[in-house]
């Protein structure tokens, strides 16, 4: 079985990465593409569901998971802890399914060290004003949390050059189309490698 590809997607909070990933998943069959559900110690927002948006856990549970090396990566973001389950990701990739991680730059750095074959995408907002509008428009965070996230936005964006691909999420449909193009190109690149590996190209070019 050929391994699935791991895609890391990062962006300042509110730039639209979760919306883009969710829209992409609607166009892909489950046996092809899945999104990882992280563990977090942050409080649940209105409308969020345990095991659908996140596994919401206590700090003690999170610490216990770190101790048993259950995370592929984990980080403190905006004063809360977030982590990606190692076992789940390894199992899904081994079954040939591509997996998307919606994680911050710290997690992205940890994954690149462990899995250099992972592909990474950074999503930028068209402007800081628009980022602020989107965070407010989402209507899920307090003034204090929005201020904290806006204050961290520039720090997150300074890491854009560490990523393989950059998408500016101004027009949503255009940004989604860019994301689909990246996935398509990566799949074509890999299928070319597989053909070469199988000796098919050699056979096709013979005679
Ligand atoms: N291109 C766009 N134009 C206008 N609004 C957008 C666009 N993309 C996303 N949004 C809206 O911006 C808000 C923030 O988007 P989203 O929650 O996907 O951001 P995020 O980067 O995943 O944030 P976080 O890191 O906090 O989870 C949402 O209300 C979403 O509907
Ligand atoms: N390093 C990790 N970062 C993660 C993970 N899951 C989410 N995140 C990032 O946290 C912020 C805030 O998310 P929110 O849901 O509270 O708005 C955002 O940048 C996410 O990408 C994770 O498992 N590891």
């Amino acid at each position: 079985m050929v391994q699935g590809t791991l895609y890391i997607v990062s962006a300042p909070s509110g730039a639209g990465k979760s919306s883009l990933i969710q829209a992409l998943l609607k166009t892909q069959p489950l046996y092809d593409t899945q999104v990882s559900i992280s563990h977090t110690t942050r409080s649940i927002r209105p409308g969020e569901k345990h095991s659908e948006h996140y596994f919401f856990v206590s700090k003690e549970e999170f610490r216990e998971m770190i101790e048993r090396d259950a995370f592929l990566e984990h980080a403190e973001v905006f004063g809360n802890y977030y982590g990606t389950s190692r076992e789940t990701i390894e199992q899904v990739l081994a079954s040939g399914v591509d997996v998307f991680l919606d994680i911050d730059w710290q997690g992205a750095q940890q994954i690149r060290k462990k899995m250099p074959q992972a592909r990474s995408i950074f999503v930028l907002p068209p402007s800081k004003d628009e980022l602020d509008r989107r965070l407010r428009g989402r209507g899920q965070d307090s003034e204090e949390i929005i201020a904290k996230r806006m204050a961290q936005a520039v720090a997150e964006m300074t890491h854009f050059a560490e990523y393989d691909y950059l998408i500016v999420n101004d027009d949503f449909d255009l940004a989604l189309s860019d994301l689909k193009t990246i996935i398509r190109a990566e799949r074509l690149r890999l299928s070319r490698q597989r053909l070469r590996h199988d000796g098919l190209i050699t056979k096709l070019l013979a005679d």
Side-chain angles (χ1 to χ4, degrees), residues 9-14 17-18 36-40 42-43 45 48 53-54 62 71 73-78 80-85 101-108 110 135 138 141 149 156:
V9 184
S10 302
S13 177
K17 59 191 172 304
S18 320
S36 160
I37 300 168
S38 298
H39 286 70
T40 184
R42 119 157 129 61
S43 313
R45 288 179 185 140
E48 282 185 330
H53 294 90
Y54 280 105
F62 199 93
F71 290 125
E73 64 74 35
H74 63 90
E76 185 179 345
V77 190
F78 309 128
N80 296 302
Y81 296 95
Y82 296 81
T84 304
S85 158
L101 303 182
D102 173 341
I103 63 175
D104 83 322
W105 65 271
Q106 305 172 82
Q110 294 170 41
L135 280 173
R138 189 162 67 179
D141 297 308
R149 288 177 181 231
E156 178 86 32

Coordinates of all heavy atoms in Angstrom, one line a residue, residues 9-14 17-18 36-40 42-43 45 48 53-54 62 71 73-78 80-85 101-108 110 135 138 141 149 156, ligand 2:
V9 N -1.3 22.7 7.1 CA -1.8 24.0 6.7 C -1.8 24.9 7.9 O -2.3 24.6 9.0 CB -3.3 23.9 6.2 CG1 -3.8 25.2 5.7 CG2 -3.4 22.8 5.1
S10 N -1.1 26.0 7.8 CA -1.0 27.0 8.9 C -1.4 28.4 8.3 O -1.4 28.6 7.1 CB 0.5 27.1 9.4 OG 0.9 25.9 9.8
A11 N -1.7 29.3 9.3 CA -2.2 30.6 8.9 C -2.4 31.4 10.2 O -2.6 30.7 11.3 CB -3.5 30.6 8.2
P12 N -2.4 32.7 10.2 CA -2.8 33.4 11.4 C -4.2 33.1 11.7 O -5.0 32.8 10.8 CB -2.6 34.9 11.1 CG -2.5 34.9 9.6 CD -2.0 33.6 9.2
S13 N -4.6 33.1 13.0 CA -6.0 32.7 13.3 C -7.0 33.7 12.6 O -6.8 34.9 12.6 CB -6.1 32.9 14.8 OG -7.5 32.7 15.2
G14 N -8.0 33.1 11.9 CA -9.0 33.9 11.2 C -8.7 34.0 9.8 O -9.6 34.6 9.0
K17 N -8.1 29.1 7.2 CA -7.6 27.8 6.8 C -8.6 26.6 7.1 O -8.7 25.7 6.3 CB -6.2 27.5 7.5 CG -6.2 27.5 9.0 CD -4.8 27.5 9.6 CE -4.8 27.7 11.0 NZ -5.5 29.0 11.5
S18 N -9.3 26.7 8.3 CA -10.3 25.6 8.5 C -11.4 25.6 7.5 O -11.8 24.6 7.0 CB -10.9 25.8 9.9 OG -10.0 26.2 10.9
S36 N -7.2 15.8 10.3 CA -6.9 15.3 11.6 C -7.7 16.1 12.7 O -7.8 17.3 12.5 CB -5.4 15.5 11.8 OG -5.1 15.5 13.2
I37 N -8.2 15.4 13.7 CA -8.9 16.1 14.8 C -7.9 16.1 15.9 O -7.5 15.1 16.5 CB -10.2 15.3 15.1 CG1 -11.1 15.3 13.9 CG2 -10.9 16.0 16.3 CD1 -12.2 14.3 14.1
S38 N -7.5 17.4 16.3 CA -6.5 17.6 17.3 C -7.1 17.4 18.7 O -8.3 17.5 18.9 CB -5.9 19.0 17.2 OG -5.3 19.2 16.0
H39 N -6.2 17.3 19.7 CA -6.6 17.4 21.1 C -6.3 18.8 21.6 O -5.3 19.4 21.1 CB -5.8 16.4 22.0 CG -6.2 15.0 21.8 ND1 -6.0 14.3 20.7 CD2 -6.9 14.1 22.7 CE1 -6.5 13.0 20.8 NE2 -7.0 12.9 22.0
T40 N -7.1 19.4 22.4 CA -6.9 20.7 22.9 C -7.4 20.9 24.3 O -8.4 20.2 24.7 CB -7.5 21.8 22.0 OG1 -7.1 23.1 22.5 CG2 -9.0 21.8 21.9
R42 N -8.2 24.0 25.1 CA -9.0 25.2 25.1 C -10.5 24.9 25.3 O -11.0 23.8 25.1 CB -8.8 25.9 23.7 CG -10.0 26.1 22.9 CD -9.9 27.2 21.9 NE -10.2 26.8 20.5 CZ -11.4 26.3 20.1 NH1 -12.3 26.1 21.0 NH2 -11.5 26.0 18.8
S43 N -11.2 26.0 25.8 CA -12.7 25.8 26.1 C -13.4 25.6 24.8 O -13.0 26.1 23.7 CB -13.3 27.0 26.7 OG -12.4 27.4 27.8
R45 N -16.2 26.1 22.0 CA -16.9 27.3 21.5 C -18.4 26.8 21.2 O -18.6 25.7 20.9 CB -16.4 27.8 20.2 CG -15.0 28.5 20.3 CD -14.6 28.9 18.9 NE -13.3 29.5 18.9 CZ -12.4 29.3 17.9 NH1 -12.7 28.4 16.9 NH2 -11.2 29.8 17.9
E48 N -19.4 24.0 18.6 CA -18.4 23.0 18.5 C -18.8 21.7 19.2 O -19.5 21.7 20.2 CB -17.0 23.4 19.0 CG -16.3 24.4 18.1 CD -14.9 24.8 18.6 OE1 -14.7 24.8 19.8 OE2 -14.1 25.2 17.8
H53 N -14.8 18.6 16.2 CA -13.9 19.7 15.9 C -12.6 19.5 16.6 O -11.5 19.8 16.0 CB -14.6 21.0 16.4 CG -15.8 21.4 15.6 ND1 -17.1 20.9 15.9 CD2 -16.0 22.1 14.4 CE1 -18.0 21.3 15.0 NE2 -17.3 22.0 14.1
Y54 N -12.7 19.1 17.8 CA -11.5 18.8 18.6 C -11.8 17.7 19.6 O -13.0 17.4 19.9 CB -11.0 20.0 19.5 CG -10.3 21.0 18.7 CD1 -10.9 22.2 18.4 CD2 -8.9 20.9 18.4 CE1 -10.2 23.3 17.7 CE2 -8.2 21.9 17.8 CZ -8.9 23.1 17.4 OH -8.2 24.1 16.8
F62 N -3.9 16.1 28.9 CA -3.0 16.5 27.9 C -1.5 16.1 28.3 O -0.8 15.6 27.5 CB -3.1 18.0 27.6 CG -2.5 18.4 26.2 CD1 -3.3 18.4 25.1 CD2 -1.1 18.7 26.1 CE1 -2.8 18.8 23.9 CE2 -0.6 19.0 24.9 CZ -1.4 19.1 23.8
F71 N 1.8 12.2 21.1 CA 1.6 13.2 20.1 C 2.7 13.2 19.1 O 3.9 13.1 19.4 CB 1.6 14.6 20.8 CG 0.4 14.9 21.6 CD1 0.5 15.3 22.9 CD2 -0.9 14.8 21.0 CE1 -0.6 15.6 23.7 CE2 -2.0 15.1 21.8 CZ -1.9 15.5 23.1
E73 N 3.1 15.9 17.3 CA 3.6 17.3 17.6 C 2.6 17.8 18.6 O 1.4 17.4 18.6 CB 3.6 18.1 16.3 CG 2.3 18.4 15.6 CD 1.4 19.4 16.3 OE1 1.9 20.3 16.9 OE2 0.2 19.2 16.3
H74 N 3.1 18.8 19.4 CA 2.2 19.5 20.3 C 2.8 20.9 20.6 O 4.0 21.1 20.4 CB 1.9 18.8 21.6 CG 3.1 18.5 22.4 ND1 3.5 19.4 23.4 CD2 4.0 17.5 22.4 CE1 4.6 18.9 23.9 NE2 4.9 17.8 23.4
A75 N 1.9 21.9 20.9 CA 2.4 23.2 21.1 C 1.4 24.0 22.0 O 0.2 23.7 22.1 CB 2.6 24.0 19.8
E76 N 2.0 25.1 22.6 CA 1.1 26.0 23.3 C 0.8 27.1 22.3 O 1.7 27.8 21.8 CB 1.8 26.6 24.5 CG 0.9 27.4 25.3 CD 1.6 28.0 26.6 OE1 2.6 27.5 27.0 OE2 1.0 29.0 27.1
V77 N -0.5 27.4 22.1 CA -0.9 28.4 21.1 C -2.0 29.3 21.9 O -3.0 28.7 22.4 CB -1.6 27.8 19.8 CG1 -1.8 28.9 18.8 CG2 -0.7 26.7 19.3
F78 N -1.8 30.6 21.9 CA -2.7 31.5 22.6 C -3.1 31.0 24.0 O -4.2 31.1 24.4 CB -4.0 31.6 21.8 CG -3.8 32.0 20.3 CD1 -4.4 31.2 19.3 CD2 -3.0 33.0 19.9 CE1 -4.3 31.5 18.0 CE2 -2.8 33.3 18.6 CZ -3.5 32.6 17.6
N80 N -3.3 28.1 25.3 CA -3.9 26.7 25.4 C -2.9 25.7 24.7 O -2.1 26.1 23.9 CB -5.2 26.7 24.7 CG -6.2 27.6 25.4 OD1 -6.5 27.4 26.6 ND2 -6.8 28.5 24.7
Y81 N -3.2 24.4 25.0 CA -2.3 23.4 24.5 C -3.1 22.6 23.4 O -4.3 22.4 23.5 CB -1.9 22.4 25.5 CG -1.0 23.0 26.5 CD1 -1.5 23.5 27.7 CD2 0.4 23.2 26.3 CE1 -0.7 24.2 28.7 CE2 1.2 23.8 27.2 CZ 0.6 24.3 28.4 OH 1.4 25.0 29.3
Y82 N -2.4 22.3 22.3 CA -3.0 21.7 21.1 C -2.0 20.6 20.7 O -0.8 20.8 20.7 CB -3.1 22.6 19.9 CG -4.1 23.8 20.1 CD1 -3.7 24.9 20.8 CD2 -5.4 23.7 19.6 CE1 -4.6 26.0 21.0 CE2 -6.2 24.8 19.8 CZ -5.8 25.9 20.4 OH -6.7 26.9 20.6
G83 N -2.5 19.4 20.3 CA -1.6 18.3 19.8 C -2.3 17.4 18.8 O -3.5 17.3 18.8
T84 N -1.4 16.8 18.0 CA -1.9 15.8 17.0 C -1.5 14.4 17.4 O -0.4 14.1 17.7 CB -1.1 16.1 15.7 OG1 -1.3 17.5 15.3 CG2 -1.6 15.2 14.5
S85 N -2.6 13.5 17.4 CA -2.4 12.2 17.8 C -1.5 11.4 16.9 O -1.8 11.3 15.7 CB -3.7 11.5 17.9 OG -3.6 10.1 17.9
L101 N -3.4 18.5 8.3 CA -3.3 19.0 9.7 C -3.4 20.5 9.7 O -2.7 21.3 9.0 CB -1.8 18.8 10.2 CG -1.3 17.3 10.2 CD1 0.1 17.3 10.8 CD2 -2.3 16.4 11.0
D102 N -4.4 21.0 10.5 CA -4.6 22.5 10.7 C -3.9 22.8 12.0 O -4.4 22.7 13.1 CB -6.1 22.7 10.8 CG -6.5 24.1 11.1 OD1 -5.7 24.9 11.6 OD2 -7.7 24.4 10.9
I103 N -2.6 23.2 11.8 CA -1.7 23.4 13.0 C -0.9 24.7 12.9 O -0.8 25.2 11.8 CB -0.8 22.2 13.3 CG1 0.2 22.0 12.1 CG2 -1.6 21.0 13.5 CD1 1.2 20.9 12.4
D104 N -0.3 25.2 14.0 CA 0.5 26.4 13.9 C 1.9 26.1 13.5 O 2.3 25.0 13.2 CB 0.4 27.1 15.3 CG 1.4 26.6 16.2 OD1 1.7 25.3 16.2 OD2 2.1 27.4 17.0
W105 N 2.7 27.2 13.4 CA 4.1 27.1 12.8 C 5.0 26.2 13.7 O 5.9 25.6 13.2 CB 4.7 28.5 12.6 CG 4.9 29.2 13.9 CD1 4.0 30.1 14.5 CD2 6.1 29.2 14.8 NE1 4.5 30.5 15.7 CE2 5.8 30.0 15.9 CE3 7.3 28.6 14.7 CZ2 6.7 30.2 16.9 CZ3 8.2 28.8 15.7 CH2 7.9 29.6 16.8
Q106 N 4.7 26.2 15.0 CA 5.6 25.4 15.9 C 5.4 23.9 15.6 O 6.3 23.1 15.5 CB 5.2 25.7 17.4 CG 5.3 27.1 17.8 CD 4.7 27.3 19.2 OE1 5.4 27.1 20.2 NE2 3.4 27.7 19.3
G107 N 4.1 23.5 15.5 CA 3.8 22.1 15.2 C 4.3 21.8 13.8 O 4.9 20.7 13.6
A108 N 4.3 22.7 12.9 CA 4.7 22.5 11.5 C 6.3 22.2 11.5 O 6.7 21.3 10.9 CB 4.5 23.7 10.6
Q110 N 7.9 20.9 14.0 CA 8.2 19.6 14.6 C 7.9 18.5 13.6 O 8.6 17.5 13.5 CB 7.3 19.4 15.8 CG 7.6 20.3 17.0 CD 6.5 20.3 18.1 OE1 6.0 19.2 18.4 NE2 6.2 21.4 18.6
L135 N -12.2 37.7 12.2 CA -12.2 37.2 13.5 C -13.5 37.6 14.2 O -14.1 36.9 15.0 CB -11.0 37.6 14.3 CG -9.7 36.8 14.1 CD1 -8.5 37.4 14.8 CD2 -9.8 35.4 14.6
R138 N -16.7 36.0 12.7 CA -16.9 34.6 13.1 C -17.8 34.6 14.4 O -18.5 33.6 14.6 CB -15.5 34.0 13.4 CG -15.6 32.5 13.6 CD -14.3 31.8 13.4 NE -13.3 32.2 14.4 CZ -12.0 31.8 14.5 NH1 -11.6 30.9 13.6 NH2 -11.2 32.2 15.4
D141 N -15.4 34.5 19.5 CA -14.4 34.8 20.5 C -14.6 36.1 21.2 O -15.2 37.1 20.5 CB -13.0 34.8 19.8 CG -12.6 33.4 19.3 OD1 -12.7 32.4 20.0 OD2 -12.3 33.3 18.1
R149 N -5.2 37.2 19.5 CA -4.9 36.5 18.2 C -4.4 37.5 17.2 O -3.5 37.2 16.5 CB -6.2 35.8 17.7 CG -6.5 34.6 18.6 CD -7.7 33.8 18.2 NE -7.8 32.7 19.2 CZ -8.1 31.4 18.8 NH1 -8.2 31.1 17.6 NH2 -8.1 30.5 19.7
E156 N 3.1 34.8 13.6 CA 2.8 33.6 12.9 C 3.2 33.8 11.4 O 3.8 32.9 10.8 CB 1.3 33.3 13.0 CG 0.8 32.1 12.2 CD 0.9 30.7 12.9 OE1 0.8 30.7 14.2 OE2 1.2 29.7 12.3
Ligands
LIG2 N1 0.6 22.9 16.9 C1 -0.8 22.7 16.8 N2 -1.6 23.8 16.5 C2 -2.9 23.5 16.4 C3 -3.4 22.2 16.6 N3 -4.8 22.3 16.4 C4 -5.0 23.6 16.2 N4 -3.9 24.3 16.2 C5 -3.7 25.8 15.9 O1 -4.2 26.5 17.0 C6 -4.7 27.8 16.6 C7 -6.0 28.1 17.2 O2 -7.0 27.3 16.9 P1 -8.5 27.5 17.4 O3 -9.3 26.3 16.9 O4 -8.4 27.7 18.9 O5 -8.9 28.8 16.7 C8 -4.7 27.7 15.1 O6 -3.6 28.4 14.5 C9 -4.6 26.3 14.8 O7 -4.0 26.0 13.5 C10 -2.5 21.1 16.8 O8 -2.9 20.0 17.0 N5 -1.2 21.4 17.0

